[in-house]
Amino acid sequence: MTTAPSSLSVSRKGGSWLLDETPASDVFTPEKLSEEHRMMAKTTTEFVDNEVLPSLDRLEEKDWQLARSLVRRCGELGLLGIGVPEEYGGLDLDKASSLAVVERIGPSASFATTFGGQANLCILPLVLFGTPEQKQKYLPRLVTGELVGAYALSESGSGSDALAAKTRATKLPDGSWSLSGEKMWISNGGFADVFIIFAKVDGEHFTAFIVERAFPGFSSGKEEHKMGLHGSSTTPIVLQDVRVPAGNVLGEIGKGHKVALNTLNYGRFSLGAMSSGGCRAAIGAAARYAAERRQFGQPIASFGAIKHKLGEMTARTFALESLVYRTAGLIDASLGPAPHEGAAIARAFEEYAVEASISKVAGSEILDYVLDENVQIHGGNGFVKDYPAERYYRDARVNRIFEGTNEINRLLIPGMLIRRALKGELPLIAAAKRLQDEVLSPSVASAGFGDQGVLDEEMRTVGAFKKVALMVIGTAMQTYGEKLTDEQEVVSFAADILIEVYAAESAVLRARESSTSRHAHSDLKVQAARVFVNDAALRVDAAARSALAAMADGDTLRTLMAALRRILKTSPANTVAMRRALADAVVAGRGYILD
Ligand SMILES: Cc1cc2nc3c(=O)[nH]c(=O)nc-3n(C[C@H](O)[C@H](O)[C@H](O)COP(=O)(O)OP(=O)(O)OC[C@H]3O[C@@H](n4cnc5c(N)ncnc54)[C@H](O)[C@@H]3O)c2cc1C
């Protein structure tokens, strides 16, 4: 019997945080993890530290038997079946459990990709879209790790434009299918047994199929020579008239996009969580190195320039962690207690697709920032292979490319919100109109936003970010109408602002809640949130100015700029002192200590 934890966030519609005020107590945070969650996180950390990290060199030599045995170990530890119904050998736990695990898998670098290929890209679409027969046939052995899974969507000519795939499926007289074509860059491609492969029926109807390596006509090509992730298999998949049984269509014919997109929605959320885990590990490595490395007769951790880096790495990681946990809580609140039906899970992922894209973009970019500074803190030792800093730096770069590039995800973030608004699901247009009326009145300022005594000013600043987001989106809709999608730069600036809104609000709400509940290190959490909001204000201002200047000129632009200045009127905080406090704490604790 499994239980879903009760301390999850209140159910809200995806994207509603842009228009509504959220009480801090409604938000799921790492501090609210149950004992069960913490046990799973601990088990995963021990597995990664004791079994995966010592194996990385052998994995990088393409020892795929070792990779298979590590997948098997994940199965034994129960890490592969967290979201799988009990009848197929899983635990059917909440997404907070998955998050606690993938966050700890994140630092395992190459192996995190192997794990993701199995759990997120093969097991998950089977749970979401499989028939009872398909689930019975494949899930139990995927959950134990006896079978290894993969997901083959991309082709050499269709990466971002995945629906333009050329792989064809033709129905044969006995009802089975013949698949022909070539897939590219497939994770686990060199040794997986079961593949979710996308092909077009009669060159037209995009459809997902379950394909086994053992089917005649199936082969995988040579391993790619990559910048990083050398311990993860990436190969092309060649399909030459591969005979696929009639019962192996996954989902409906012509509805492969649903399988692909819902799988990616979860993959994006999960990548945000893995990135947060990677950040935590890198902060630990950087803090330990800074404490031990001495120059000019003192530890480099005593220098302000190094404190600035450690403080900023910590503040950004705090915001990232806050937003991924908040998102897990939202998904869980909408799912309710187990058992969870595949269709209901798919609906929940779709509801929070905007938040998943934000997790992916913020996660991959904050991780790149943190890993870059980790190399810098290590100096020359950061550039040589004796220390893991250089491997992490190379391994992480692909996160901005796969699971939908960050450019594509940026376009999706405002795009999905606007689509919901046009369908009447989110009152964004009315809110933007109201704001426009306010903008013409010189009295507009950042309004009060749930004063609670802690971080009130930051909360008001987040309220101001929301107004700026509405101003930019409203002006863009009015200026470009249906042609807004052609204006990618403006849409991307709007996405940048929305990402800052969600990240900053999540950090502030968590720090507030932590402070009210007197959690450990709540004073540091408040400082991390203040640092993040202070600098987010500068980023929001820059993005808004660039977007508005692209859409207006003359008096209109002057009016908009005056309104922007009034809305975003914030006093700078002493972030130098706060970053120093954060840096001193992570150095003293020899790691990220804000969870
Ligand atoms: C290590 C690794 C593992 C991978 N694993 C898998 C896997 O397991 N399964 C799988 O199916 N695929 C996998 N991929 C493929 C990955 O998903 C694609 O590389 C990714 O989707 C980008 O596609 P692309 O490489 O064709 O780039 P392109 O789509 O050609 O993009 C090139 C550039 O153009 C930009 N761009 C493209 N279209 C637009 C647009 N409309 N507007 C604005 N900018 C645009 C992109 O953002 C990017 O910056 C993997 C890739 C790598 C490197």
Side-chain angles (χ1 to χ4, degrees):
M1 182 63 200
T2 55
T3 53
S6 54
S7 58
L8 299 177
S9 71
V10 172
S11 182
R12 288 173 192 279
K13 287 198 86 62
S16 64
W17 42 267
L18 178 59
L19 306 174
D20 299 343
E21 209 176 312
T22 306
S25 56
D26 283 4
V27 173
F28 186 59
T29 67
E31 292 76 13
K32 294 181 184 170
L33 285 173
S34 66
E35 268 315 301
E36 191 183 10
H37 292 137
R38 289 176 200 278
M39 278 303 295
M40 301 196 76
K42 184 165 176 278
T43 303
T44 313
T45 301
E46 285 170 1
F47 165 64
V48 168
D49 287 352
N50 300 333
E51 300 182 51
V52 183
L53 296 183
S55 306
L56 277 184
D57 286 340
R58 276 173 64 201
L59 287 176
E60 294 208 342
E61 285 159 16
K62 321 283 182 219
D63 183 346
W64 301 145
Q65 275 315 314
L66 175 61
R68 286 192 77 99
S69 71
L70 289 172
V71 172
R72 227 16 225 250
R73 281 288 293 142
C74 288
E76 284 165 18
L77 295 170
L79 308 182
L80 295 171
I82 291 170
V84 176
E86 292 182 38
E87 58 195 301
Y88 306 115
L91 300 168
D92 203 1
L93 295 178
D94 54 17
K95 293 303 153 219
S97 303
S98 310
L99 170 56
V101 168
V102 293
E103 204 184 20
R104 267 53 181 195
I105 287 278
S108 72
S110 290
F111 185 71
T113 303
T114 305
F115 181 90
Q118 173 92 350
N120 302 341
L121 300 180
C122 186
I123 290 178
L124 182 79
L126 282 164
V127 170
L128 263 49
F129 296 98
T131 62
E133 295 74 29
Q134 290 169 343
K135 288 178 179 170
Q136 195 55 60
K137 180 162 183 200
Y138 293 107
L139 282 176
R141 287 187 298 154
L142 284 163
V143 166
T144 58
E146 180 188 339
L147 291 179
V148 175
Y151 172 90
L153 174 65
S154 307
E155 299 183 5
S156 60
S158 57
S160 301
D161 188 11
L163 303 189
K166 289 209 161 58
T167 299
R168 280 182 77 95
T170 309
K171 196 166 193 173
L172 301 175
D174 66 355
S176 65
W177 299 89
S178 169
L179 262 60
S180 291
E182 190 167 328
K183 296 288 173 181
M184 276 290 280
W185 306 298
I186 306 309
S187 300
N188 298 348
F191 61 92
D193 310 292
V194 184
F195 295 75
I196 308 301
I197 294 192
F198 295 83
K200 281 188 171 162
V201 171
D202 302 328
E204 222 175 302
H205 309 288
F206 194 68
T207 305
F209 294 86
I210 308 164
V211 180
E212 297 179 25
R213 178 181 291 278
F215 293 167
F218 183 105
S219 61
S220 45
K222 284 199 182 119
E223 289 289 340
E224 301 291 350
H225 296 286
K226 303 183 298 253
M227 175 194 292
L229 290 185
H230 295 156
S232 153
S233 167
T234 312
T235 72
I237 296 296
V238 182
L239 305 156
Q240 285 178 314
D241 293 325
V242 175
R243 192 73 165 262
V244 178
N248 278 28
V249 172
L250 183 63
E252 293 174 46
I253 292 167
K255 298 275 171 65
H257 61 285
K258 280 194 168 266
V259 180
L261 296 182
N262 279 297
T263 303
L264 286 177
N265 281 339
Y266 182 72
R268 289 168 184 164
F269 158 70
S270 183
L271 196 146
M274 284 192 181
S275 300
S276 151
C279 289
R280 294 158 50 106
I283 289 171
R288 287 189 294 276
Y289 190 84
E292 280 149 32
R293 174 74 175 170
R294 295 178 76 84
Q295 289 291 283
F296 302 97
Q298 46 189 314
I300 60 168
S302 68
F303 300 129
I306 299 295
K307 286 182 199 273
H308 175 91
K309 294 181 195 306
L310 288 168
E312 183 62 15
M313 290 155 81
T314 305
R316 290 197 197 187
T317 300
F318 179 75
L320 171 61
E321 198 181 48
S322 306
L323 79 86
V324 291
Y325 274 80
R326 181 184 188 180
T327 306
L330 287 168
I331 298 172
D332 281 330
S334 113
L335 274 176
H340 302 119
E341 289 298 321
I345 304 174
R347 269 198 306 281
F349 289 165
E350 218 171 308
E351 183 65 40
Y352 299 104
V354 172
E355 289 77 3
S357 284
I358 291 178
S359 299
K360 196 272 174 180
V361 175
S364 57
E365 295 182 4
I366 290 175
L367 179 62
D368 274 1
Y369 167 79
V370 166
L371 296 179
D372 184 66
E373 292 291 44
N374 184 36
V375 168
Q376 195 67 16
I377 289 170
H378 279 75
N381 282 328
F383 201 70
V384 297
K385 288 187 187 293
D386 306 9
Y387 285 77
E390 69 88 30
R391 168 149 66 196
Y392 285 136
Y393 176 81
R394 285 184 292 100
D395 284 353
R397 183 60 182 83
V398 73
N399 289 331
R400 282 160 53 198
I401 296 171
F402 58 24
E403 305 276 1
T405 65
N406 283 16
E407 291 73 28
I408 295 291
N409 274 287
R410 275 198 162 80
L411 300 178
L412 287 172
I413 292 166
M416 289 189 281
L417 287 176
I418 290 172
R419 221 172 304 129
R420 279 185 197 175
L422 293 174
K423 280 204 263 171
E425 292 169 5
L426 194 69
L428 186 148
I429 298 169
K433 281 220 170 77
R434 263 199 315 279
L435 182 76
Q436 203 172 37
D437 296 340
E438 275 183 52
V439 160
L440 297 173
S441 134
S443 66
V444 64
S446 39
F449 231 74
D451 282 4
Q452 285 185 7
V454 184
L455 291 165
D456 288 344
E457 191 171 338
E458 283 69 23
M459 209 58 215
R460 273 192 289 280
T461 305
V462 170
F465 293 173
K466 294 184 185 187
K467 288 187 170 184
V468 175
L470 286 175
M471 183 161 98
V472 169
I473 294 173
T475 310
M477 288 173 78
Q478 206 168 47
T479 310
Y480 302 118
E482 286 177 1
K483 295 210 178 314
L484 176 55
T485 48
D486 296 340
E487 302 300 326
Q488 292 194 344
E489 298 93 325
V490 168
V491 176
S492 302
F493 285 131
D496 289 344
I497 299 169
L498 291 165
I499 293 167
E500 298 292 351
V501 171
Y502 193 59
E505 188 178 60
S506 304
V508 170
L509 291 173
R510 176 178 167 202
R512 258 188 174 181
E513 175 72 351
S514 217
S515 184
T516 314
S517 308
R518 298 181 193 286
H519 290 137
H521 305 303
S522 62
D523 52 332
L524 289 170
K525 292 173 190 173
V526 166
Q527 308 215 40
R530 290 191 70 195
V531 168
F532 190 84
V533 171
N534 184 82
D535 284 25
L538 306 174
R539 297 189 288 264
V540 166
D541 187 46
R545 289 170 72 89
S546 302
L548 294 172
M551 296 188 275
D553 54 14
D555 282 349
T556 315
L557 180 59
R558 268 190 290 281
T559 308
L560 288 168
M561 286 301 150
L564 180 65
R565 272 194 300 278
R566 282 197 303 277
I567 295 172
L568 263 187
K569 210 153 116 198
T570 57
S571 337
N574 182 357
T575 54
V576 170
M578 289 189 279
R579 284 197 192 89
R580 284 187 177 189
L582 292 168
D584 290 347
V586 297
V587 170
R590 298 292 193 270
Y592 180 79
I593 53 165
L594 299 192
D595 50 359

